[in-house]
Amino acid sequence: MSQTSSLDLEDQLLSRQMSDFISNVRGAAMGTLLSAIIIVSTLATAEHATFWISWIAALLLLDGLRLKHTFDFDSHSTDPAYIRKNAIYATILAKCCGLNWAIAFAVLWQHAQSPGEYLILCVLAAGIMSTALLQYRHLKPAAYLLMIACILAGTGIASLYPVGLAIPIILLTWVHGIIILRGVSDHSRFYRERLIEEIELERSEQTVRLLLHEYEASASDWLWEVDPTGRLLDITERFSEAAGRSAEDLEGCELLSLFVDGPDRDMLKRHINARTGFRDLIIQLAGRESETWWSISAKPLDGGTMRGVMSDVTAQTLGDKKLSRMARSDSLTGLANRMKFNETLVDLSRNDASSHTLLFVDLDKFKIINDTLGHGAGDILLVAVAKRIVQESGTETLVARLGGDEFAVVTKAKITLQQSHDLADRLVARLSDPFKIAGKVIRMSASIGIAHNDERTVEPEEWMRRADLALYAAKDDGRNCHRDYNATLHELERQRHELELDLRTALTEGQFSLDFQPQLDFATGKPSGMEALVRWNHPVRGLIMPDQFISIAEENGLIISLGEWIVRDALRQAAEWREPLTIALNLSSVQIRSERFIAVLMQSLAATGVAPGRVELEITETALLHDTKENVETLHKLRAIGVRIALDDFGTGYSSLNYLRAFPFDTIKIDRCFVTDLATRSDCQAIIKAIVGLAQELGMKTVAEGIEEREQFQWLEAIGCTAAQGYYISRPISSENRSAKATGQNVEPSYQPITPYINGSKRDVSQWSNPALFESPTRRSGNG
């Protein structure tokens, strides 16, 4: 029973003492009444009837007052004066009771006549004293008065007896009385200390309850408690408000029933069943129209209960989920990004990954469209592509954008290899359909690599590598198709890797050489120039053509050093030619961005003495696509040196006319894809005529590549093309043939002399197509 802080410590102790004292009064009153009945019925005599009637009346009166006091006393009172007044009253009643019993025993001792009566009196006296002591032990003043009254009464009675009997009785009375008083004092001290501890503990609990109440009233958290069966106890107001249910409804309700079934609820159930503490378990509340999330923490208590706090973390949780989605989705297309894609592959790999398929989808020549129409249009195109991929892939797949124009599709449901092929076919066909972007119709295509997994588990890195190798195979096979991964691709990759390693030492070991392919001037029938073609003479693999190693050199940056060597060696050999023919050099996209290229070119021109006007640098549209503005500025710097600039493979891209407007090229090279089919396709003839006419209007030369037949040669001559190049004119002339010819060796040339028709006349050009004619006069005299 607690008291409020309005009472000081002493008053609180007195109130507790009074409460404990009164709790024993009723039992003690019944005990004394029973003792009185025994005394009167066994020891009282008729001659003293008046005394005993008066004594019983006094006893009943005192016990009645004591019982009435137990009902009247307010144990919850916080009035110090009231408590002290009742303590004094209880002490007076105790003193009167002691005095009343002392008078009764004095009369009985005086008239006792037999040892049996003395024995009864002794037992009753001891019982009355013990009962009184137990009754008044919590109220030290009353206990003292009662015991002192009993001691004095016993002493007085003993004095009525002979000296030989009185002295021992008095001594025993005082000795036992003092012992009892000492016991009362010790008990009172211990009792007081225990009460003080209880009061301090209650004060602490009141402070804690006050703080918890203030915390719950002001904070967003609320307290909760469950019994050993997991049912709610002591529902707080905040808990009731947060749950949207009354405290009566929640009381005894199973805690787990408040939450949505799932892994989080299962985790909570395990903690409750095992009585283990936990912190910040996020779990969704059930029965809500909108998502509601609570954070729960708890620790076990004695008796099997658990207590903790809850808080509403809906805003934070939904925000975190949104951030998680954003972190795992592509901001442009809304597809999964690389992070989400990697997580999905890991999940599949940890479980049964067999019969799942990974497809890598790469858009063909997207860079051209992006740079031609602008990045805004390119973004719109990517969004449209993403939508088509999702539509064709279905719901049992994860579609991700890995970056740029690279997409991935991984099947979450198991499918067969044939179903993978069907999906890839649909994607290739769907992405080939025209797109309408920024008012323009754009045609796209896509290459797809398929990695169908037959293994139960596979590492994500290995799975992606397989799809990547299959994608490279699709690109190598002409794009706009799909290819499966197979073990052969690993071997090709290994060979490519070995080729890359060999390429790093090839230049320092002098394994490269240059061949030169002549260009014929239609007007004069004479050679107008030579295109330098690099060859790799591998010590083990033999002759390796440029299409096998140039892309590798561009990827690892070796094209810079190789390109510089080509410039130096080509100009060195051109300086030895008898005729001042133009020397054409191919320039890659990596070279044009190199800061050293112009310096190396100028140094080589100065060292060899070759006139800048004899040098023609051929650049493809693909090279111009990267950093177009910077590349055009580089071309202007090269033009300022005096070298000529040719646009190679003209007509194969999307923005050729834009480049002609951006930079005044000296020469336009007509791609072999148009020349090859000009005899059978009218559209090729129309395109070539348009290119030649455009070049004439712009004051540019035209060189047709890939001429292999007389009909092609004659037709190109007739429409006014400037120069011809191809096997019909001459195969590339190797450095070995020229060197052997210069030393007098009998070597069959690698070209086939031809007799072309120039301006309608049949001319023998075998003289100029002989390699020896391109040697310097010094070398030729050595053949003598």
Side-chain angles (χ1 to χ4, degrees), residues 173-185:
T173 301
W174 279 94
V175 169
H176 287 92
I178 293 173
I179 291 174
I180 292 174
L181 289 174
R182 178 65 182 270
V184 170
S185 178

Side-chain angles (χ1 to χ4, degrees), residues 369-387:
I369 298 175
N370 200 36
D371 287 348
T372 303
L373 301 180
H375 292 285
D379 289 345
I380 296 174
L381 178 60
L382 289 175
V383 172
V385 167
K387 184 177 180 180

Side-chain angles (χ1 to χ4, degrees), residues 14-87:
L14 185 58
S15 178
R16 293 292 185 91
Q17 289 170 337
M18 283 294 299
S19 298
D20 291 341
F21 162 72
I22 287 176
S23 65
N24 297 318
V25 166
R26 297 170 188 174
M30 294 300 296
T32 55
L33 181 60
L34 180 61
S35 298
I37 293 172
I38 293 173
I39 289 175
V40 171
S41 61
T42 58
L43 300 177
T45 59
E47 60 183 299
H48 298 103
T50 303
F51 168 79
W52 288 112
I53 292 173
S54 300
W55 183 82
I56 288 292
L59 180 65
L60 291 174
L61 176 62
L62 292 173
D63 281 349
L65 292 174
R66 291 164 65 196
L67 289 174
K68 183 177 182 299
H69 189 211
T70 63
F71 291 104
D72 291 343
F73 179 71
D74 182 10
S75 60
H76 299 286
S77 175
T78 58
D79 183 3
Y82 173 81
I83 296 172
R84 293 171 192 156
K85 176 182 176 182
N86 279 272

